[in-house]
Amino acid sequence: MSTVSDLVAASAALRSPNNLSNEDYDRQLRGHVTHVRRLISKRDLGSIARDDALLDQFDPSNDSITYLFLLHLQIQTLREESSGTLPAELLPLGSFWSKAAHYLRTFDCIQVRYAGHEWLQLVEFMGLASQGSSKPILTAQLIRDALLRLDPSCAVLTSTHVLLTQLCLASRAYTCALPVLDKQIRHIPALPNRAPSNSISALCAEHESSLSFINETTGLSSKLSYRDYLRYFLYGGMIYLALKEWRKASHFLGTVISMPTLGSVSMIMVEAYKKWILVGLLEKGKLCSPPSITASHVVKTLQSLVKPYISLAHTFERGDVKKLEVEVDAARDIWCQDNNMGLVCQVASAYSRHSLINTSKVFAALTVSEVSSHISLLSTDTDEVGEANIASLVVAGTIDATLVHLHPHSRDTMLRFPDVSSWEEVSYETKIQSQFQEEGQILKSLFVGMEENSKRLGLSDEFIDHVIRGQLWPTAGSMNPSLGGNAGSEMEEDIMGDLS
């Protein structure tokens, strides 16, 4: 047990970093990781690897590095002895599962930066174990909290982001992903030869951006492919769709279909465009154009591959309700095969709602019975259902109107719309003010990312002033040695390499 005593003493030495400088504490943490790796790699640790009480001697919040390595050792040992199958101890609610879950809730975010590979392996194993036992919901919240603990800003897209959205979709725990999805993604993990200079030293220091310690060098994220980037935004869009947050869903899906591509279009982009069309009908009642930054050849290719959806949208816009019902029913196999049947049904249900909204722009007042004569209702709608739908739209604020009974014994109800000249201006100003506030926060977040990138590219005001005074225009490679002369071409190859 001398090895255990050695680990306890070494971990205890890390508990008082207050009197140390960042450089000294960084050196101590790196030395501790090397020391623990050396001890764990010994071949005579059979008893330790099977000791159920071993982890009880360490505190996961204070001894995060040691606890993580020992937990990883014991999990690996159990998996090797089970001949490829997951033993009960490692399944959800098993003894080691509980310890791993407790660790992900309490680990020290500074120490974990020095054991990123092991931390990521633990996160991925938890996802694998929960999916293997058909209980992804048990891991989704754990991984979300672990990701927020590691990086509260979640500004750097990682492989854990993709895993989280996948688990939330599989378990239908849609709201679980929102604390991460609602964060603005500003970076992807830097490649080893492009990592900022301060990402290698003093990981324990306070950094302006989490990009300084989340990269392939530290191992806190695996290498992201082009498909991983698309999958995250597709899954995120699908989560917002499930929550009926159409605007956010449109933003995420629009990010997917507007991704740059040299020739072929990924099937992920095709799936996103199908949902993009349906979201446009649900939110705005029309076929929306792809984001302006989408390449023209991409738009043409996507449109040629989703003709049933475009036909449905055109029918929706023309107001031909009978043809709309026919098209929904005729292409039912297509909607089901694409897993979009639920969305298509919502689109059909939204037809009457958008028709009513358009009617409110023409008439000052209508009885509920008159509404059906001015808008085409689906065959499933009745007067009673129509009145209930109208009431729900008024309560939700979708239309600005008032429902009034004509007299106590009347069975009909009057739908009154306010004077357009008075309420439209107020509504418009309120909407614009809300959008300004929301987009102001987004711009503020983006400016922070732009300042970080400018510093790394040598584009700060101080640097430019210095160059102007000296009349020396350095090459792209000399602006930042970590970028290298072929950084741009290498990045393009990395992004485009996984296209299908």
Side-chain angles (χ1 to χ4, degrees):
M1 297 299 290
S2 59
T3 301
V4 177
S5 301
D6 192 0
L7 289 172
V8 171
S11 293
L14 299 176
R15 295 190 177 187
S16 302
N18 296 332
N19 298 328
L20 298 176
S21 64
N22 287 332
E23 291 73 16
D24 291 338
Y25 190 45
D26 176 82
R27 195 179 305 110
Q28 189 176 12
L29 285 169
R30 292 181 185 277
H32 181 67
V33 170
T34 303
H35 180 61
V36 174
R37 279 203 175 106
R38 180 177 56 81
L39 292 177
I40 296 298
S41 63
K42 292 181 179 180
R43 298 298 182 184
D44 57 346
L45 294 177
S47 59
I48 293 180
R50 297 170 181 80
D51 185 1
D52 294 341
L54 173 63
L55 292 173
D56 296 335
Q57 302 182 51
F58 301 92
D59 181 3
S61 59
N62 292 317
D63 308 316
S64 295
I65 292 176
T66 305
Y67 196 100
L68 177 60
F69 274 94
L70 291 176
L71 183 63
H72 189 270
L73 172 67
Q74 294 192 338
I75 291 176
Q76 184 178 5
T77 302
L78 285 172
R79 295 186 68 179
E80 289 175 352
E81 293 177 349
S82 63
S83 301
T85 60
L86 288 176
E89 297 91 336
L90 299 180
L91 293 176
L93 306 181
S95 57
F96 280 96
W97 172 275
S98 301
K99 293 179 180 179
H102 179 59
Y103 177 82
L104 291 179
R105 294 191 186 99
T106 59
F107 67 85
D108 181 85
C109 60
I110 300 298
Q111 291 191 30
V112 160
R113 296 177 186 178
Y114 293 81
H117 294 283
E118 288 73 17
W119 181 87
L120 182 60
Q121 288 177 6
L122 177 62
V123 168
E124 291 176 345
F125 166 75
M126 296 290 281
L128 175 65
S130 64
Q131 288 177 314
S133 60
S134 300
K135 298 178 180 178
I137 192 172
L138 297 177
T139 306
Q141 186 174 357
L142 276 177
I143 293 180
R144 179 203 65 190
D145 293 343
L147 186 57
L148 290 170
R149 189 175 185 84
L150 176 70
D151 175 21
S153 72
C154 283
V156 181
L157 180 63
T158 68
S159 54
T160 307
H161 283 72
V162 183
L163 176 61
L164 172 63
T165 53
Q166 184 178 356
L167 290 172
C168 289
L169 279 176
S171 60
R172 298 185 179 181
Y174 307 120
T175 57
C176 176
L178 293 184
V180 173
L181 284 179
D182 288 342
K183 304 285 186 179
Q184 291 293 322
I185 297 293
R186 300 200 300 265
H187 307 286
I188 59 174
L191 299 177
N193 63 330
R194 303 189 188 101
S197 57
N198 62 348
S199 66
I200 304 301
S201 60
L203 293 175
C204 58
E206 292 186 8
H207 296 276
E208 294 181 0
S209 170
S210 52
L211 185 63
S212 300
F213 57 84
I214 298 181
N215 50 64
E216 293 182 26
T217 302
T218 58
L220 290 168
S221 174
S222 59
K223 182 178 180 180
L224 291 177
S225 68
Y226 181 80
R227 284 190 181 87
D228 291 327
Y229 188 90
L230 296 179
R231 286 169 58 207
Y232 172 72
F233 284 98
L234 174 63
Y235 294 162
M238 292 170 65
I239 289 173
Y240 283 129
L241 283 175
L243 297 173
K244 297 186 178 182
E245 297 193 26
W246 310 131
R247 185 180 178 187
K248 292 181 178 179
S250 179
H251 169 69
F252 268 64
L253 296 173
T255 301
V256 177
I257 63 180
S258 62
M259 281 296 294
T261 174
L262 291 179
S264 59
V265 173
S266 171
M267 288 305 298
I268 299 176
M269 298 173 69
V270 177
E271 293 303 316
Y273 188 54
K274 293 174 181 178
K275 291 177 170 58
W276 162 274
I277 293 175
L278 299 177
V279 170
L281 297 177
L282 287 167
E283 181 187 14
K284 301 179 180 180
K286 64 179 182 179
L287 176 62
C288 297
S289 301
S292 58
I293 61 174
T294 310
S296 58
H297 75 276
V298 171
V299 175
K300 292 180 180 178
T301 303
L302 290 175
Q303 290 177 345
S304 67
L305 296 173
V306 298
K307 290 182 178 179
Y309 290 84
I310 294 179
S311 177
L312 179 70
H314 287 324
T315 303
F316 189 101
E317 289 180 317
R318 286 193 293 266
D320 190 339
V321 66
K322 293 183 178 180
K323 188 176 180 181
L324 179 66
E325 291 180 320
V326 170
E327 287 208 23
V328 169
D329 188 63
R332 186 173 297 273
D333 291 341
I334 296 176
W335 318 136
C336 293
Q337 183 178 354
D338 294 340
N339 292 321
N340 287 330
M341 190 66 226
L343 278 177
V344 172
C345 290
Q346 290 186 64
V347 167
S349 300
Y351 176 82
S352 299
R353 171 167 57 89
H354 284 289
S355 297
L356 179 59
I357 292 174
N358 293 331
T359 301
S360 68
K361 300 176 182 179
V362 178
F363 297 93
L366 287 172
T367 62
V368 172
S369 59
E370 289 174 334
V371 168
S372 60
S373 65
H374 291 282
I375 65 174
S376 300
L377 296 175
L378 296 174
S379 59
T380 55
D381 287 333
T382 63
D383 289 341
E384 291 75 20
V385 174
E387 183 171 351
N389 287 337
I390 292 172
S392 65
L393 291 175
V394 172
V395 172
T398 305
I399 57 173
D400 194 340
T402 304
L403 286 170
V404 181
H405 285 286
L406 298 178
H407 51 79
H409 301 290
S410 174
R411 297 185 59 186
D412 211 348
T413 303
M414 177 70 72
L415 185 65
R416 295 185 180 276
F417 304 105
D419 181 33
V420 176
S421 60
S422 62
W423 69 264
E424 269 197 352
E425 183 177 353
V426 176
S427 176
Y428 178 76
E429 290 181 355
T430 303
K431 181 179 179 181
I432 291 298
Q433 184 178 7
S434 176
Q435 289 181 355
F436 276 157
Q437 293 176 350
E438 181 178 350
E439 296 189 7
Q441 294 296 325
I442 295 175
L443 286 175
K444 183 178 179 181
S445 175
L446 291 176
F447 280 139
V448 173
M450 290 173 63
E451 290 176 358
E452 295 166 1
N453 291 332
S454 294
K455 290 179 181 179
R456 295 190 178 93
L457 293 172
L459 298 179
S460 62
D461 293 339
E462 294 81 1
F463 179 82
I464 294 176
D465 290 341
H466 173 73
V467 172
I468 293 175
R469 287 195 301 270
Q471 294 298 308
L472 297 175
W473 296 95
T475 62
S478 61
M479 285 185 181
N480 189 336
S482 65
L483 291 176
N486 298 322
S489 61
E490 291 177 7
M491 176 62 75
E492 186 179 28
E493 291 175 2
D494 290 338
I495 291 179
M496 303 304 173
D498 290 325
L499 284 174
S500 59

